[in-house]
PDB file of all heavy atoms in Angstrom:
ATOM      1  N   VAL A   1      24.786  89.045  60.608  1.00 98.00           N
ATOM      2  CA  VAL A   1      23.589  88.326  61.035  1.00 98.00           C
ATOM      3  C   VAL A   1      23.999  87.345  62.124  1.00 98.00           C
ATOM      4  O   VAL A   1      24.974  86.591  61.962  1.00 98.00           O
ATOM      5  CB  VAL A   1      22.920  87.565  59.869  1.00 98.00           C
ATOM      6  CG1 VAL A   1      21.730  86.744  60.368  1.00 98.00           C
ATOM      7  CG2 VAL A   1      22.452  88.543  58.795  1.00 98.00           C
ATOM      8  N   ASP A   2      23.271  87.394  63.238  1.00 96.00           N
ATOM      9  CA  ASP A   2      23.555  86.515  64.377  1.00 96.00           C
ATOM     10  C   ASP A   2      25.015  86.589  64.801  1.00 96.00           C
ATOM     11  O   ASP A   2      25.640  85.575  65.166  1.00 96.00           O
ATOM     12  CB  ASP A   2      23.168  85.069  64.055  1.00 96.00           C
ATOM     13  CG  ASP A   2      21.677  84.908  63.812  1.00 96.00           C
ATOM     14  OD1 ASP A   2      20.890  85.661  64.420  1.00 96.00           O
ATOM     15  OD2 ASP A   2      21.291  84.043  62.996  1.00 96.00           O
ATOM     16  N   GLY A   3      25.584  87.797  64.734  1.00 94.00           N
ATOM     17  CA  GLY A   3      26.951  88.004  65.173  1.00 94.00           C
ATOM     18  C   GLY A   3      28.017  87.627  64.166  1.00 94.00           C
ATOM     19  O   GLY A   3      29.217  87.811  64.431  1.00 94.00           O
ATOM     20  N   ASN A   4      27.630  87.123  63.009  1.00 96.00           N
ATOM     21  CA  ASN A   4      28.579  86.736  61.967  1.00 96.00           C
ATOM     22  C   ASN A   4      28.657  87.824  60.898  1.00 96.00           C
ATOM     23  O   ASN A   4      27.633  88.203  60.324  1.00 96.00           O
ATOM     24  CB  ASN A   4      28.167  85.412  61.336  1.00 96.00           C
ATOM     25  CG  ASN A   4      28.132  84.279  62.344  1.00 96.00           C
ATOM     26  OD1 ASN A   4      29.073  84.089  63.093  1.00 96.00           O
ATOM     27  ND2 ASN A   4      27.025  83.534  62.361  1.00 96.00           N
ATOM     28  N   ILE A   5      29.864  88.317  60.631  1.00 97.00           N
ATOM     29  CA  ILE A   5      30.056  89.357  59.628  1.00 97.00           C
ATOM     30  C   ILE A   5      29.796  88.802  58.230  1.00 97.00           C
ATOM     31  O   ILE A   5      30.383  87.792  57.835  1.00 97.00           O
ATOM     32  CB  ILE A   5      31.475  89.946  59.698  1.00 97.00           C
ATOM     33  CG1 ILE A   5      31.719  90.617  61.054  1.00 97.00           C
ATOM     34  CG2 ILE A   5      31.709  90.936  58.565  1.00 97.00           C
ATOM     35  CD1 ILE A   5      30.901  91.857  61.301  1.00 97.00           C
ATOM     36  N   ILE A   6      28.910  89.464  57.494  1.00 97.00           N
ATOM     37  CA  ILE A   6      28.599  89.070  56.114  1.00 97.00           C
ATOM     38  C   ILE A   6      29.467  89.877  55.146  1.00 97.00           C
ATOM     39  O   ILE A   6      30.011  89.355  54.174  1.00 97.00           O
ATOM     40  CB  ILE A   6      27.114  89.308  55.790  1.00 97.00           C
ATOM     41  CG1 ILE A   6      26.208  88.616  56.816  1.00 97.00           C
ATOM     42  CG2 ILE A   6      26.791  88.841  54.376  1.00 97.00           C
ATOM     43  CD1 ILE A   6      26.342  87.115  56.873  1.00 97.00           C
ATOM     44  N   THR A   7      29.604  91.174  55.406  1.00 97.00           N
ATOM     45  CA  THR A   7      30.450  92.035  54.583  1.00 97.00           C
ATOM     46  C   THR A   7      30.970  93.176  55.440  1.00 97.00           C
ATOM     47  O   THR A   7      30.313  93.600  56.405  1.00 97.00           O
ATOM     48  CB  THR A   7      29.676  92.586  53.367  1.00 97.00           C
ATOM     49  OG1 THR A   7      30.551  93.335  52.530  1.00 97.00           O
ATOM     50  CG2 THR A   7      28.517  93.465  53.784  1.00 97.00           C
ATOM     51  N   GLN A   8      32.171  93.662  55.117  1.00 96.00           N
ATOM     52  CA  GLN A   8      32.770  94.751  55.889  1.00 96.00           C
ATOM     53  C   GLN A   8      33.721  95.528  54.982  1.00 96.00           C
ATOM     54  O   GLN A   8      34.493  94.939  54.235  1.00 96.00           O
ATOM     55  CB  GLN A   8      33.533  94.192  57.087  1.00 96.00           C
ATOM     56  CG  GLN A   8      34.063  95.226  58.037  1.00 96.00           C
ATOM     57  CD  GLN A   8      34.529  94.621  59.355  1.00 96.00           C
ATOM     58  OE1 GLN A   8      34.348  95.223  60.401  1.00 96.00           O
ATOM     59  NE2 GLN A   8      35.116  93.439  59.312  1.00 96.00           N
ATOM     60  N   ASP A   9      33.647  96.856  55.052  1.00 97.00           N
ATOM     61  CA  ASP A   9      34.453  97.703  54.178  1.00 97.00           C
ATOM     62  C   ASP A   9      35.086  98.829  54.996  1.00 97.00           C
ATOM     63  O   ASP A   9      34.485  99.328  55.946  1.00 97.00           O
ATOM     64  CB  ASP A   9      33.575  98.294  53.067  1.00 97.00           C
ATOM     65  CG  ASP A   9      34.384  99.033  52.028  1.00 97.00           C
ATOM     66  OD1 ASP A   9      34.883  98.376  51.103  1.00 97.00           O
ATOM     67  OD2 ASP A   9      34.518 100.265  52.150  1.00 97.00           O
ATOM     68  N   PHE A  10      36.305  99.218  54.604  1.00 97.00           N
ATOM     69  CA  PHE A  10      37.011 100.289  55.298  1.00 97.00           C
ATOM     70  C   PHE A  10      37.519 101.327  54.306  1.00 97.00           C
ATOM     71  O   PHE A  10      37.780 101.017  53.145  1.00 97.00           O
ATOM     72  CB  PHE A  10      38.216  99.732  56.070  1.00 97.00           C
ATOM     73  CG  PHE A  10      37.860  98.738  57.133  1.00 97.00           C
ATOM     74  CD1 PHE A  10      38.171  97.392  56.972  1.00 97.00           C
ATOM     75  CD2 PHE A  10      37.224  99.133  58.298  1.00 97.00           C
ATOM     76  CE1 PHE A  10      37.848  96.465  57.946  1.00 97.00           C
ATOM     77  CE2 PHE A  10      36.904  98.215  59.287  1.00 97.00           C
ATOM     78  CZ  PHE A  10      37.215  96.871  59.110  1.00 97.00           C
ATOM     79  N   PHE A  11      37.675 102.566  54.781  1.00 97.00           N
ATOM     80  CA  PHE A  11      38.324 103.604  53.988  1.00 97.00           C
ATOM     81  C   PHE A  11      39.800 103.225  53.807  1.00 97.00           C
ATOM     82  O   PHE A  11      40.423 102.717  54.751  1.00 97.00           O
ATOM     83  CB  PHE A  11      38.314 104.956  54.714  1.00 97.00           C
ATOM     84  CG  PHE A  11      36.965 105.601  54.900  1.00 97.00           C
ATOM     85  CD1 PHE A  11      35.780 104.931  54.638  1.00 97.00           C
ATOM     86  CD2 PHE A  11      36.882 106.907  55.355  1.00 97.00           C
ATOM     87  CE1 PHE A  11      34.554 105.551  54.823  1.00 97.00           C
ATOM     88  CE2 PHE A  11      35.674 107.540  55.548  1.00 97.00           C
ATOM     89  CZ  PHE A  11      34.497 106.858  55.284  1.00 97.00           C
ATOM     90  N   PRO A  12      40.400 103.507  52.656  1.00 97.00           N
ATOM     91  CA  PRO A  12      41.852 103.403  52.559  1.00 97.00           C
ATOM     92  C   PRO A  12      42.499 104.345  53.572  1.00 97.00           C
ATOM     93  O   PRO A  12      42.019 105.456  53.797  1.00 97.00           O
ATOM     94  CB  PRO A  12      42.144 103.844  51.121  1.00 97.00           C
ATOM     95  CG  PRO A  12      40.862 103.606  50.380  1.00 97.00           C
ATOM     96  CD  PRO A  12      39.775 103.892  51.376  1.00 97.00           C
ATOM     97  N   GLN A  13      43.601 103.903  54.162  1.00 94.00           N
ATOM     98  CA  GLN A  13      44.248 104.709  55.197  1.00 94.00           C
ATOM     99  C   GLN A  13      44.663 106.088  54.691  1.00 94.00           C
ATOM    100  O   GLN A  13      44.562 107.083  55.405  1.00 94.00           O
ATOM    101  CB  GLN A  13      45.473 103.964  55.750  1.00 94.00           C
ATOM    102  CG  GLN A  13      45.149 102.671  56.500  1.00 94.00           C
ATOM    103  CD  GLN A  13      44.466 102.916  57.832  1.00 94.00           C
ATOM    104  OE1 GLN A  13      43.285 103.281  57.870  1.00 94.00           O
ATOM    105  NE2 GLN A  13      45.184 102.719  58.910  1.00 94.00           N
ATOM    106  N   GLU A  14      45.122 106.142  53.420  1.00 95.00           N
ATOM    107  CA  GLU A  14      45.526 107.440  52.886  1.00 95.00           C
ATOM    108  C   GLU A  14      44.333 108.384  52.744  1.00 95.00           C
ATOM    109  O   GLU A  14      44.483 109.614  52.841  1.00 95.00           O
ATOM    110  CB  GLU A  14      46.242 107.277  51.540  1.00 95.00           C
ATOM    111  CG  GLU A  14      45.424 106.624  50.439  1.00 95.00           C
ATOM    112  CD  GLU A  14      45.570 105.115  50.385  1.00 95.00           C
ATOM    113  OE1 GLU A  14      45.941 104.506  51.415  1.00 95.00           O
ATOM    114  OE2 GLU A  14      45.319 104.547  49.297  1.00 95.00           O
ATOM    115  N   ASP A  15      43.147 107.826  52.531  1.00 97.00           N
ATOM    116  CA  ASP A  15      41.950 108.662  52.446  1.00 97.00           C
ATOM    117  C   ASP A  15      41.575 109.226  53.819  1.00 97.00           C
ATOM    118  O   ASP A  15      41.109 110.372  53.926  1.00 97.00           O
ATOM    119  CB  ASP A  15      40.774 107.863  51.889  1.00 97.00           C
ATOM    120  CG  ASP A  15      40.879 107.629  50.392  1.00 97.00           C
ATOM    121  OD1 ASP A  15      41.934 107.948  49.813  1.00 97.00           O
ATOM    122  OD2 ASP A  15      39.898 107.126  49.800  1.00 97.00           O
ATOM    123  N   VAL A  16      41.747 108.400  54.857  1.00 95.00           N
ATOM    124  CA  VAL A  16      41.469 108.881  56.213  1.00 95.00           C
ATOM    125  C   VAL A  16      42.350 110.090  56.521  1.00 95.00           C
ATOM    126  O   VAL A  16      41.883 111.104  57.047  1.00 95.00           O
ATOM    127  CB  VAL A  16      41.699 107.772  57.262  1.00 95.00           C
ATOM    128  CG1 VAL A  16      41.460 108.318  58.675  1.00 95.00           C
ATOM    129  CG2 VAL A  16      40.776 106.586  56.998  1.00 95.00           C
ATOM    130  N   LEU A  17      43.628 109.991  56.147  1.00 94.00           N
ATOM    131  CA  LEU A  17      44.540 111.116  56.369  1.00 94.00           C
ATOM    132  C   LEU A  17      44.123 112.339  55.571  1.00 94.00           C
ATOM    133  O   LEU A  17      44.135 113.468  56.082  1.00 94.00           O
ATOM    134  CB  LEU A  17      45.965 110.710  55.996  1.00 94.00           C
ATOM    135  CG  LEU A  17      46.730 109.894  57.026  1.00 94.00           C
ATOM    136  CD1 LEU A  17      48.054 109.429  56.454  1.00 94.00           C
ATOM    137  CD2 LEU A  17      46.943 110.702  58.300  1.00 94.00           C
ATOM    138  N   GLU A  18      43.730 112.133  54.307  1.00 96.00           N
ATOM    139  CA  GLU A  18      43.325 113.264  53.475  1.00 96.00           C
ATOM    140  C   GLU A  18      42.071 113.936  54.032  1.00 96.00           C
ATOM    141  O   GLU A  18      41.977 115.170  54.088  1.00 96.00           O
ATOM    142  CB  GLU A  18      43.082 112.803  52.034  1.00 96.00           C
ATOM    143  CG  GLU A  18      42.719 113.943  51.097  1.00 96.00           C
ATOM    144  CD  GLU A  18      42.420 113.496  49.676  1.00 96.00           C
ATOM    145  OE1 GLU A  18      42.412 112.269  49.421  1.00 96.00           O
ATOM    146  OE2 GLU A  18      42.176 114.375  48.823  1.00 96.00           O
ATOM    147  N   LEU A  19      41.098 113.137  54.436  1.00 97.00           N
ATOM    148  CA  LEU A  19      39.863 113.673  54.988  1.00 97.00           C
ATOM    149  C   LEU A  19      40.130 114.444  56.275  1.00 97.00           C
ATOM    150  O   LEU A  19      39.638 115.571  56.457  1.00 97.00           O
ATOM    151  CB  LEU A  19      38.862 112.546  55.246  1.00 97.00           C
ATOM    152  CG  LEU A  19      38.186 111.957  54.006  1.00 97.00           C
ATOM    153  CD1 LEU A  19      37.693 110.541  54.273  1.00 97.00           C
ATOM    154  CD2 LEU A  19      37.018 112.824  53.551  1.00 97.00           C
ATOM    155  N   THR A  20      40.894 113.855  57.173  1.00 95.00           N
ATOM    156  CA  THR A  20      41.145 114.518  58.452  1.00 95.00           C
ATOM    157  C   THR A  20      41.937 115.810  58.259  1.00 95.00           C
ATOM    158  O   THR A  20      41.663 116.819  58.916  1.00 95.00           O
ATOM    159  CB  THR A  20      41.888 113.595  59.433  1.00 95.00           C
ATOM    160  OG1 THR A  20      43.113 113.144  58.842  1.00 95.00           O
ATOM    161  CG2 THR A  20      41.033 112.393  59.796  1.00 95.00           C
ATOM    162  N   GLU A  21      42.906 115.786  57.363  1.00 95.00           N
ATOM    163  CA  GLU A  21      43.679 117.010  57.108  1.00 95.00           C
ATOM    164  C   GLU A  21      42.802 118.106  56.502  1.00 95.00           C
ATOM    165  O   GLU A  21      42.940 119.290  56.840  1.00 95.00           O
ATOM    166  CB  GLU A  21      44.859 116.688  56.198  1.00 95.00           C
ATOM    167  CG  GLU A  21      45.957 115.898  56.900  1.00 95.00           C
ATOM    168  CD  GLU A  21      47.080 115.485  55.965  1.00 95.00           C
ATOM    169  OE1 GLU A  21      47.016 115.840  54.765  1.00 95.00           O
ATOM    170  OE2 GLU A  21      48.011 114.808  56.437  1.00 95.00           O
ATOM    171  N   LYS A  22      41.899 117.708  55.615  1.00 97.00           N
ATOM    172  CA  LYS A  22      40.986 118.685  55.017  1.00 97.00           C
ATOM    173  C   LYS A  22      40.061 119.282  56.078  1.00 97.00           C
ATOM    174  O   LYS A  22      39.856 120.503  56.129  1.00 97.00           O
ATOM    175  CB  LYS A  22      40.159 118.003  53.916  1.00 97.00           C
ATOM    176  CG  LYS A  22      39.265 118.939  53.125  1.00 97.00           C
ATOM    177  CD  LYS A  22      40.054 119.866  52.236  1.00 97.00           C
ATOM    178  CE  LYS A  22      39.152 120.673  51.306  1.00 97.00           C
ATOM    179  NZ  LYS A  22      39.911 121.660  50.511  1.00 97.00           N
ATOM    180  N   PHE A  23      39.494 118.425  56.923  1.00 97.00           N
ATOM    181  CA  PHE A  23      38.597 118.903  57.975  1.00 97.00           C
ATOM    182  C   PHE A  23      39.332 119.823  58.945  1.00 97.00           C
ATOM    183  O   PHE A  23      38.825 120.880  59.329  1.00 97.00           O
ATOM    184  CB  PHE A  23      37.997 117.726  58.746  1.00 97.00           C
ATOM    185  CG  PHE A  23      37.127 116.809  57.917  1.00 97.00           C
ATOM    186  CD1 PHE A  23      36.858 115.513  58.341  1.00 97.00           C
ATOM    187  CD2 PHE A  23      36.581 117.222  56.714  1.00 97.00           C
ATOM    188  CE1 PHE A  23      36.060 114.671  57.595  1.00 97.00           C
ATOM    189  CE2 PHE A  23      35.791 116.382  55.943  1.00 97.00           C
ATOM    190  CZ  PHE A  23      35.531 115.095  56.398  1.00 97.00           C
ATOM    191  N   GLU A  24      40.535 119.422  59.340  1.00 95.00           N
ATOM    192  CA  GLU A  24      41.282 120.234  60.294  1.00 95.00           C
ATOM    193  C   GLU A  24      41.702 121.567  59.686  1.00 95.00           C
ATOM    194  O   GLU A  24      41.736 122.592  60.372  1.00 95.00           O
ATOM    195  CB  GLU A  24      42.500 119.461  60.797  1.00 95.00           C
ATOM    196  CG  GLU A  24      42.118 118.297  61.696  1.00 95.00           C
ATOM    197  CD  GLU A  24      43.293 117.704  62.442  1.00 95.00           C
ATOM    198  OE1 GLU A  24      44.377 118.317  62.413  1.00 95.00           O
ATOM    199  OE2 GLU A  24      43.109 116.640  63.055  1.00 95.00           O
ATOM    200  N   GLY A  25      41.997 121.545  58.374  1.00 97.00           N
ATOM    201  CA  GLY A  25      42.336 122.793  57.702  1.00 97.00           C
ATOM    202  C   GLY A  25      41.187 123.783  57.699  1.00 97.00           C
ATOM    203  O   GLY A  25      41.395 125.001  57.619  1.00 97.00           O
ATOM    204  N   MET A  26      39.966 123.256  57.806  1.00 97.00           N
ATOM    205  CA  MET A  26      38.778 124.113  57.855  1.00 97.00           C
ATOM    206  C   MET A  26      38.317 124.360  59.288  1.00 97.00           C
ATOM    207  O   MET A  26      37.300 125.017  59.515  1.00 97.00           O
ATOM    208  CB  MET A  26      37.644 123.456  57.041  1.00 97.00           C
ATOM    209  CG  MET A  26      37.970 123.289  55.567  1.00 97.00           C
ATOM    210  SD  MET A  26      36.724 122.306  54.665  1.00 97.00           S
ATOM    211  CE  MET A  26      35.309 123.412  54.707  1.00 97.00           C
ATOM    212  N   GLY A  27      39.045 123.794  60.253  1.00 95.00           N
ATOM    213  CA  GLY A  27      38.687 123.991  61.661  1.00 95.00           C
ATOM    214  C   GLY A  27      37.453 123.220  62.089  1.00 95.00           C
ATOM    215  O   GLY A  27      36.750 123.644  63.018  1.00 95.00           O
ATOM    216  N   LEU A  28      37.192 122.072  61.442  1.00 96.00           N
ATOM    217  CA  LEU A  28      35.988 121.294  61.722  1.00 96.00           C
ATOM    218  C   LEU A  28      36.297 120.083  62.608  1.00 96.00           C
ATOM    219  O   LEU A  28      37.430 119.601  62.640  1.00 96.00           O
ATOM    220  CB  LEU A  28      35.351 120.830  60.407  1.00 96.00           C
ATOM    221  CG  LEU A  28      35.049 121.925  59.386  1.00 96.00           C
ATOM    222  CD1 LEU A  28      34.389 121.338  58.143  1.00 96.00           C
ATOM    223  CD2 LEU A  28      34.166 123.016  59.991  1.00 96.00           C
TER     224      LEU A  28
END
């Protein structure tokens, strides 16, 4: 709100790797 972050969440880094590897394995 008004440029001030109220809440922020990120994927765990290991999940990003798992997701990307899964997608790439399917050619997506």
